[in-house]
Amino acid sequence: MSAAPMVPVSLPLPDLYARVRHHVPAMEWPFYAGDIEAILALKREHNAVILAHNYQTPEIFHTVADIVGDSLALAREAVNTDADVIVLAGVHFMAETAKLLNPDKTVLIPDDQAGCSLAESITAEDVRQLRARYPGVPVVTYVNTSAAVKAESDICCTSGNAKKVIESLGVDRVIMLPDEFLAQNTAALVPGIEIITWAGHCEVHERFTPEDIRAVRESYPDVVVLAHPEAPPEVVAEADYAGSTAGMADYVGEKRPARVALVTECSMSDNVAALYPEVEFVRPCNLCPHMKRITLPKIRRALEQRQHEVTIDPMVAERARLAVERMLAVR
């Protein structure tokens, strides 16, 4: 890796600015630095920890976050924290998952309107109707769902462990909810297992097309294309690799391609690029409007005012927690 860039010593928090200097102009940094300093102090005061998803913007991901990663990594690490307060810099279902695994901790989300098109595509009643239609068929639910939907499921999965979770059940037929494309892409990895799908889609990934990838390759013939499995199967077929956000980050770190395109949310490229400045990133990306509702000022207010605390009905939480814990037990 190349040497750390020089940062003007006159800037506040120069060590933190060095992490994001390629994405935040020096003249804008003081605008962020005040909130960052306040957040760091508030974390110490309240024994708080910030969990940030890979789709958070660099000024959050690389400065105030204590734990970063994909949905699976955040779920695993949420269990291990000894903090009294968890701030989830992500969307609401992630905060609910953190609460499920830490029922005695205070879990805050900086903006309680940070939702998810996938989570909103299915209800608990929908799952009950599917169970009635397919009696005895286990239900595998993507973590991108509400606690109420998880409570109706047998086990959860993420894009990073869906194959292993399905194989762990030892059956030849499963219901996989709610992302239709993730289910179709996973089905290609588990021949012999029938996967019954639901027509839910991620509004970020469903917009990508094979033509997008072919256009990138035409402009950059040597580009390595990495796609998220929430993208349509025909998009995944055009890519060189498909995997979770953690899988894509690991691929870049291990392979160090000269030029790469991440077919996913825009901030993912920004955050990985900050770690590997020698890699050129081509950006055929789409923004997630829900993830972008999370900002430094909102994180600060959440800690200052203990606002937007996540609560879950105890009867729902008990059943939903079991589905998440079954997932975490799959290695």
Side-chain angles (χ1 to χ4, degrees), residues 96 99-100 103 124 128 146-153 311-323:
E96 277 195 332
K99 182 63 176 179
L100 288 174
R128 289 191 288 269
S146 67
V149 168
K150 291 181 176 70
E152 299 296 333
S153 310
T311 60
I312 305 171
D313 179 273
M315 296 295 290
V316 171
E318 182 178 357
R319 295 160 58 213
R321 185 179 304 115
L322 183 58

Side-chain angles (χ1 to χ4, degrees), residues 80-153:
N80 298 326
T81 180
D82 58 0
D84 297 316
V85 178
I86 296 173
V87 179
L88 202 297
V91 292
H92 198 269
F93 78 80
M94 297 177 183
E96 277 195 332
T97 303
K99 182 63 176 179
L100 288 174
L101 298 172
N102 295 273
D104 298 325
K105 298 182 186 297
T106 298
V107 176
L108 307 174
I109 184 164
D111 188 320
D112 62 359
Q113 298 303 305
C116 172
S117 60
L118 274 176
E120 293 164 6
S121 73
I122 192 166
T123 67
E125 178 58 28
D126 291 328
V127 184
R128 289 191 288 269
Q129 290 182 12
L130 280 167
R131 283 195 180 279
R133 192 180 311 162
Y134 302 100
V137 178
V139 175
V140 178
T141 297
Y142 197 22
V143 292
N144 299 40
T145 49
S146 67
V149 168
K150 291 181 176 70
E152 299 296 333
S153 310

Side-chain angles (χ1 to χ4, degrees), residues 141-255:
T141 297
Y142 197 22
V143 292
N144 299 40
T145 49
S146 67
V149 168
K150 291 181 176 70
E152 299 296 333
S153 310
D154 294 293
I155 189 170
C156 289
C157 76
T158 72
S159 58
N161 67 6
K163 177 178 182 291
K164 290 183 179 180
V165 165
I166 289 173
E167 290 175 336
S168 76
L169 298 175
V171 297
D172 58 11
R173 196 184 199 199
V174 302
I175 299 168
M176 187 174 179
L177 311 169
D179 192 300
E180 181 179 27
F181 296 146
L182 176 63
Q184 291 172 345
N185 288 319
T186 303
L189 305 177
V190 288
I193 301 178
E194 179 189 358
I195 296 182
I196 299 164
T197 67
W198 180 261
H201 300 137
C202 167
E203 63 187 281
V204 170
H205 295 100
E206 71 175 343
R207 288 182 283 162
F208 291 110
T209 67
E211 290 73 25
D212 293 333
I213 296 181
R214 289 195 283 268
V216 169
R217 291 195 191 279
E218 184 174 348
S219 299
Y220 306 96
D222 63 338
V223 71
V224 176
V225 178
L226 313 183
H228 194 283
E230 288 177 16
E234 58 269 24
V235 172
V236 169
E238 291 281 343
D240 298 296
Y241 168 85
S244 67
T245 56
M248 287 190 277
D250 289 344
Y251 185 102
V252 175
E254 293 169 6
K255 305 291 187 181

